[in-house]
Amino acid sequence: MAINPEEAGPSSLSNEDSKPDRLPITVTKPIPYTFDLGNLLCSDANPLPPSPTDAQIASAARDCAQALINQLLTTCPITSHPTDGVLLTLPPPTTPLPREKPLPAAKQATTWERFAKKKGIKDRKRGEGKMVYEEATGEWVPKWGYKGRNKDGEGEWIVEVDEKVEREAEAKGDGSTVRGEGRRERKEKVRRNERKQRANERGERKAGGLK
């Protein structure tokens, strides 16, 4: 059933009259906008009235946003990704922005770093020098840890005995053996290194607290 607009009452056209008009997508200003697309920034140098109303401010903001979108869609490359969808690649920013927080303080050198700098010791890459060539077996073995070179002799069923060490072990009378002494020496060396490390850390914390 067709309705004649002339015969239709006000109520039949109220929905159409209530729809707002679409604003133009082309924005023209006396002073052209400047853009920093990397920061999604649109700068408007056009002055506002002396006492702008909320509607005037909203209109100026809308024009800036429309101009920024137009600039992005016409100058930035647009690609399509099967999982991420449509992507728009921004150029590098051109406007330097201030930092939110101050620059972090320089990290204080550790005791080892100060010692290495004084002696001219250079840092090695992670994992470098962990393996050593075993001529007896013709294989590369780790220096420390599981099957490490520092455990040589602990798993042998025959151990060369030093008479002086053997006499000292017998004098203790606690059932210690040459094989066990080697293991205890290695464990004690590890504990000494750990104690030195903890002492160095305490010293660094105290030095930092004094500053």
Side-chain angles (χ1 to χ4, degrees), residues 158-189:
I158 295 179
V159 180
E160 182 178 358
V161 176
D162 187 338
E163 295 182 359
K164 181 179 178 181
V165 176
E166 183 69 13
R167 286 195 299 270
E168 292 176 354
E170 292 177 355
K172 291 181 179 179
D174 56 357
S176 59
T177 62
V178 176
R179 191 192 305 275
E181 286 295 326
R183 179 179 176 81
R184 276 189 289 273
E185 289 177 3
R186 178 170 58 83
K187 294 291 185 179
E188 181 59 29
K189 185 177 180 181

Side-chain angles (χ1 to χ4, degrees), residues 117-195:
K117 184 177 180 180
K118 181 179 179 181
K119 297 296 183 179
I121 302 174
K122 297 181 179 180
D123 290 338
R124 293 184 297 184
K125 295 181 180 179
R126 183 177 179 87
E128 183 180 357
K130 285 188 175 182
M131 306 295 287
V132 62
Y133 184 73
E134 185 70 45
E135 295 183 357
T137 59
E139 297 178 353
W140 289 89
V141 297
K143 290 183 178 179
W144 311 279
Y146 178 65
K147 294 184 178 181
R149 185 73 177 274
N150 62 327
K151 298 180 181 178
D152 282 353
E154 291 185 6
E156 299 293 336
W157 63 282
I158 295 179
V159 180
E160 182 178 358
V161 176
D162 187 338
E163 295 182 359
K164 181 179 178 181
V165 176
E166 183 69 13
R167 286 195 299 270
E168 292 176 354
E170 292 177 355
K172 291 181 179 179
D174 56 357
S176 59
T177 62
V178 176
R179 191 192 305 275
E181 286 295 326
R183 179 179 176 81
R184 276 189 289 273
E185 289 177 3
R186 178 170 58 83
K187 294 291 185 179
E188 181 59 29
K189 185 177 180 181
V190 172
R191 285 192 288 269
R192 285 199 302 269
N193 291 336
E194 291 176 350
R195 287 195 295 269

Side-chain angles (χ1 to χ4, degrees), residues 13 55 57 66 136 147 152 155 201:
L13 299 178
I57 296 174
Q66 182 64 60
K147 294 184 178 181
D152 282 353
E201 291 174 353

Side-chain angles (χ1 to χ4, degrees), residues 69-124:
I69 294 173
N70 294 345
Q71 193 74 7
L72 290 170
L73 296 178
T74 54
T75 60
C76 296
I78 300 175
T79 57
S80 179
H81 195 272
T83 57
D84 298 334
V86 180
L87 303 177
L88 188 144
T89 304
L90 299 177
T94 57
T95 303
L97 299 177
R99 289 180 59 92
E100 179 184 0
K101 297 179 180 179
L103 290 173
K107 186 178 179 181
Q108 185 180 4
T110 62
T111 304
W112 164 251
E113 289 173 343
R114 293 194 297 268
F115 175 78
K117 184 177 180 180
K118 181 179 179 181
K119 297 296 183 179
I121 302 174
K122 297 181 179 180
D123 290 338
R124 293 184 297 184

